[in-house]
Amino acid sequence: MKLWYKSPAETWIDCLPLGNGKLGVMTDGGVFREKLYLNEDTLWSGYPTARDRGNPDAGKNLSKIREAVLKGRLVKADALLRSTSLGEESTTYLPLGTVVIDYKIEGQITDYSRELSLDRALAVSAFTNEQNRIEKRIFCSYPDKIVVMNIRSVRKISFDVTFQAALECTTTVEKNLLFAAGHAPETVYSINPLTLGAPEYGGKSMAYSCGVKVITDGKLTDGGEAFTVEDATDTLIVISAATGFRTFDEMPDTDADAVKSRVAALLNKKFDFDYLFERHLSDYTSLFKRVNLKLKRRLPNAAEYEDLPTDELLAVARKGTELPNALVELYYHYGRYLMIASSRTGSEPTTLQGLWNKDVKPAWNSNYTVNINTQMNYWAAGSSNLYECAEPFRRFVKELAVSGKKTAEQNLNASGFAAFHNSDLWRKTTPAKTDPVWAYFPMAGAWLANEVYSAYTYSAAYLSAKKDAPETREVLELLQSACAFLSDWLIPYKGCYITCPSTSPEHKFVHNLFFKLSADYASAIDMSIAWQLIENYKELCGILGIENRLLYELSEKQIKLFSLKSGKNGLLEWHTDYTPTEAGHRHFSPLYCLYPGNRVK
């Protein structure tokens, strides 16, 4: 079971991804020059207080905004939201750097292949150069917290190993160890044209380090900042990295030498490829081999499709006439592979780009966009029997609930916890900047709590009805905090309970023929998230035999929640039949009631 190609990757997006939750690699399988693009999951800009960038006066203006919305003065409400209730963008997930291998070979290249074995989590590229066969194998070990690359050839070859830094750093060589040590910037301005600017470094910048160890049967020399390997047939390259990150609410270590020492401790060991691979394979297959998928319906030429390179298999599907089972099965298992590679116990959860990012200024800061993207990353974790891989997500939401208490109080005059649409390593919960259409989504925390509960239903604690399990208590505490916020956030209006102001993430409607706005009341997604949160809380309280005032209040409000309605465009996205500005919008927010919620069955 593999992805495979007949040529090296031409661009970063064509590379093969590897990861162990902590370290990520995109490998291009190059022939004359090979690149390993590296990431470390805690390498972000900023520091804890960087998340407190909301408007401290937002709550004082909430009543004015609500009054404007409910009186139909939506232009005024939009202006008030922009001027009083938004904050700053999140911090940025950053690239670690690139290990570059320049092979000193000439002549014709034949019999090239490049593959990613999904059932072994191993990338292999191989080719023939004149009468020499060269093979490279790469994997990321979760047990040993390292990246491992083995370069083997029938005849002796030579190559250079260098490190190309993405951030400011110092590169040194010590014996057979190549180190890069430096700092992440305090601030990275996004690709938004309004905020262009160079990354800013300062005294609070988090330290980081990357180490590369080379073990070879050839001759190893260094040129001060790089290695040269000569006349080798078997070379092992081991990579590790670390940052000064401590916890989401603690200032990071800014001492690059101290972080470098931690990396050195990981690399100052004896390494054997076969031993390391056995440990990696045992760990990986314990997760991956839990599930298999074989579709029964077979096309007449199914065997022919199964033998196609992955890019050619995709080309068949793009024609729109046939969808080979081989591609569907591969797609399913590739998703499971990416989950294991990017999210493991103790790591950070997957960002917008998973674990892999090559840009210092990535699109949308490569952050946690919690108006759907972060949740969606983990939808299949439980159903594909990868519950352990969702641990970073559950921990992420638990930590958001801590920082989100201030946000609920300061921005929304509510108890419990709340989060808006963007978050980061430092668990930002305040609104972003510029436009309420994406920045103002106070129901993100409630949605996240629902997803934690959904994941919990796949746990041993839930399935075996262990009421006193620590995990059960944590889920209960999280739901109670989210419900406390919801109970305060819902307001009575014309015999119903509504949310106000309310948006449908990243989509606008036409108001008074001219204005394109986003703030209304009782959007379909808001009301469905609210219903689902109450339903989940009721179910868990029933399981645990809990009765309390909060449960009673929310049960009464659930009965009176603003109803979902239909209009000329189908299910209404907002409280009334506005004309959407973008028909077929990429976010299907009104359908939350169908999935991942179950308000409509």
Side-chain angles (χ1 to χ4, degrees):
M1 187 184 305
K2 63 185 180 182
L3 281 67
W4 75 282
Y5 307 86
K6 295 180 178 179
S7 60
E10 295 184 0
T11 63
W12 180 87
I13 199 66
D14 296 321
C15 294
L16 296 174
L18 298 157
N20 60 15
K22 186 71 175 173
L23 297 172
V25 182
M26 290 285 276
T27 172
D28 66 0
V31 173
F32 300 103
R33 166 170 279 198
E34 185 162 20
K35 291 186 176 182
L36 279 63
Y37 301 91
L38 302 171
N39 288 98
E40 202 276 355
D41 70 331
T42 60
L43 186 54
W44 288 67
S45 65
Y47 44 87
T49 54
R51 75 173 187 270
D52 295 326
R53 291 180 289 184
N55 192 323
D57 296 324
K60 300 175 184 177
N61 293 279
L62 181 58
S63 60
K64 297 177 183 178
I65 296 168
R66 279 179 168 163
E67 181 182 14
V69 170
L70 298 179
K71 288 185 176 181
R73 298 173 182 172
L74 302 187
V75 176
K76 179 181 179 181
D78 182 87
L80 283 170
L81 277 172
R82 291 171 183 266
S83 63
T84 69
S85 302
L86 304 187
E88 294 295 328
E89 62 188 60
S90 73
T91 59
T92 303
Y93 180 51
L94 299 165
L96 179 61
T98 306
V99 171
V100 180
I101 305 171
D102 288 301
Y103 296 96
K104 299 176 183 180
I105 57 176
E106 298 178 351
Q108 187 178 9
I109 303 299
T110 58
D111 300 326
Y112 181 90
S113 68
R114 175 171 64 102
E115 68 178 52
L116 174 63
S117 169
L118 299 185
D119 45 10
R120 296 187 297 164
L122 176 72
V124 180
S125 62
F127 59 87
T128 299
N129 173 229
E130 302 300 335
Q131 295 181 344
N132 193 12
R133 186 66 177 171
I134 302 171
E135 180 182 85
K136 290 84 63 73
R137 297 177 292 171
I138 309 173
F139 65 90
C140 286
S141 169
Y142 177 71
D144 292 293
K145 313 304 181 193
I146 52 177
V147 179
V148 181
M149 180 179 189
N150 182 221
I151 304 171
R152 290 182 179 177
S153 59
V154 175
R155 298 186 176 185
K156 295 178 180 181
I157 60 172
S158 300
F159 49 87
D160 295 326
V161 181
T162 58
F163 183 85
Q164 294 181 351
L167 308 174
E168 290 185 1
C169 74
T170 300
T171 305
T172 58
V173 172
E174 303 171 14
K175 295 183 180 180
N176 62 342
L177 293 172
L178 169 66
F179 287 107
H183 295 85
E186 286 188 9
T187 303
V188 174
Y189 294 99
S190 74
I191 59 173
N192 186 322
L194 298 176
T195 56
L196 291 176
E200 295 178 356
Y201 293 81
K204 298 178 182 179
S205 294
M206 181 166 63
Y208 78 93
S209 180
C210 179
V212 182
K213 184 172 188 175
V214 179
I215 306 164
T216 182
D217 64 357
K219 180 182 178 182
L220 181 66
T221 58
D222 72 80
E225 295 184 355
F227 284 127
T228 294
V229 176
E230 297 178 290
D231 299 329
T233 60
D234 194 344
T235 299
L236 188 64
I237 298 176
V238 183
I239 305 169
S240 190
T243 75
F245 178 71
R246 292 186 172 107
T247 64
F248 75 98
D249 56 357
E250 185 178 356
M251 288 298 292
D253 191 349
T254 60
D255 185 344
D257 288 335
V259 177
K260 176 182 169 183
S261 296
R262 288 164 47 201
V263 175
L266 288 169
L267 293 177
N268 280 321
K269 304 175 183 177
K270 291 184 178 180
F271 294 107
D272 175 77
F273 181 88
D274 293 335
Y275 172 75
L276 292 170
F277 183 68
E278 285 179 9
R279 281 170 54 82
H280 155 74
L281 192 62
S282 175
D283 166 74
Y284 176 76
T285 55
S286 70
L287 294 169
F288 188 78
K289 287 192 174 181
R290 293 175 179 177
V291 174
N292 195 13
L293 175 67
K294 279 291 182 182
L295 301 179
K296 290 184 178 180
R297 186 181 68 84
R298 293 284 164 182
L299 298 168
N301 52 351
E304 175 187 343
Y305 287 136
E306 290 173 356
D307 292 336
L308 286 178
T310 305
D311 50 350
E312 295 180 25
L313 191 60
L314 286 168
V316 172
R318 289 192 185 102
K319 293 178 180 178
T321 55
E322 296 177 298
L323 183 61
N325 280 3
L327 180 60
V328 177
E329 294 165 359
L330 184 65
Y331 185 79
Y332 174 74
H333 287 299
Y334 187 44
R336 296 177 61 246
Y337 165 83
L338 290 173
M339 172 58 67
I340 299 170
S342 61
S343 185
R344 297 295 301 270
T345 300
S347 78
E348 293 302 306
T350 57
T351 74
L352 274 175
Q353 297 176 194
L355 182 57
W356 306 275
N357 165 43
K358 69 177 176 63
D359 298 315
V360 175
K361 292 186 178 183
W364 303 288
N365 296 317
S366 191
N367 63 14
Y368 301 116
T369 303
V370 293
N371 63 12
I372 187 171
N373 304 86
T374 302
Q375 294 92 325
M376 188 166 56
N377 282 352
Y378 286 91
W379 277 348
S383 63
S384 61
N385 205 358
L386 294 175
Y387 179 74
E388 297 95 323
C389 292
E391 185 275 336
F393 173 75
R394 299 192 298 272
R395 178 167 29 87
F396 168 75
V397 181
K398 180 181 177 181
E399 291 168 352
L400 282 183
V402 176
S403 54
K405 289 181 179 179
K406 179 179 178 180
T407 297
E409 180 181 3
Q410 174 180 281
N411 290 69
L412 305 167
N413 300 333
S415 56
F417 92 97
F420 287 79
H421 102 297
N422 266 357
S423 190
D424 53 27
L425 181 71
W426 315 108
R427 307 318 187 225
K428 169 184 166 67
T429 54
T430 53
K433 65 192 303 181
T434 310
D435 194 329
V437 71
W438 58 71
Y440 203 86
F441 184 55
M443 292 294 285
W447 186 350
L448 290 166
N450 283 340
E451 295 301 324
V452 169
Y453 185 73
S454 178
Y456 166 72
T457 62
Y458 288 93
S459 70
Y462 178 87
L463 295 174
S464 60
K466 291 184 178 179
K467 298 180 181 181
D468 58 344
E471 189 171 359
T472 301
R473 292 195 295 270
E474 286 186 1
V475 173
L476 176 64
E477 182 179 342
L478 181 68
L479 286 185
Q480 284 180 328
S481 184
C483 284
F485 160 73
L486 181 64
S487 188
D488 288 345
W489 185 238
L490 291 171
I491 60 171
Y493 182 67
K494 295 184 177 180
C496 297
Y497 279 96
I498 65 169
T499 56
C500 181
S502 174
T503 60
S504 191
E506 302 183 36
H507 200 190
K508 294 187 178 184
F509 55 85
V510 178
H511 176 65
N512 288 346
L513 301 178
F514 178 76
F515 298 100
K516 296 179 179 180
L517 304 174
S518 57
D520 185 41
Y521 70 84
S523 68
I525 187 171
D526 271 17
M527 304 319 298
S528 294
I529 289 173
W531 184 93
Q532 192 67 49
L533 181 62
I534 297 170
E535 193 72 5
N536 291 340
Y537 186 54
K538 286 166 57 178
E539 179 180 278
L540 187 58
C541 285
I543 293 171
L544 301 177
I546 293 174
E547 293 184 10
N548 56 34
R549 184 174 183 82
L550 179 60
L551 177 64
Y552 173 78
E553 289 177 354
L554 287 175
S555 297
E556 291 295 304
K557 291 178 179 179
Q558 186 185 34
I559 297 171
K560 298 179 181 179
L561 286 177
F562 188 86
S563 300
L564 300 177
K565 302 180 184 299
S566 61
K568 63 179 183 293
N569 295 308
L571 182 65
L572 294 191
E573 190 160 357
W574 299 275
H575 93 274
T576 193
D577 210 355
Y578 293 121
T579 299
T581 59
E582 186 182 340
H585 188 255
R586 64 193 180 280
H587 282 213
F588 293 93
S589 300
L591 300 183
Y592 181 98
C593 57
L594 293 168
Y595 189 86
N598 58 14
R599 185 179 185 182
V600 176
K601 300 180 181 179

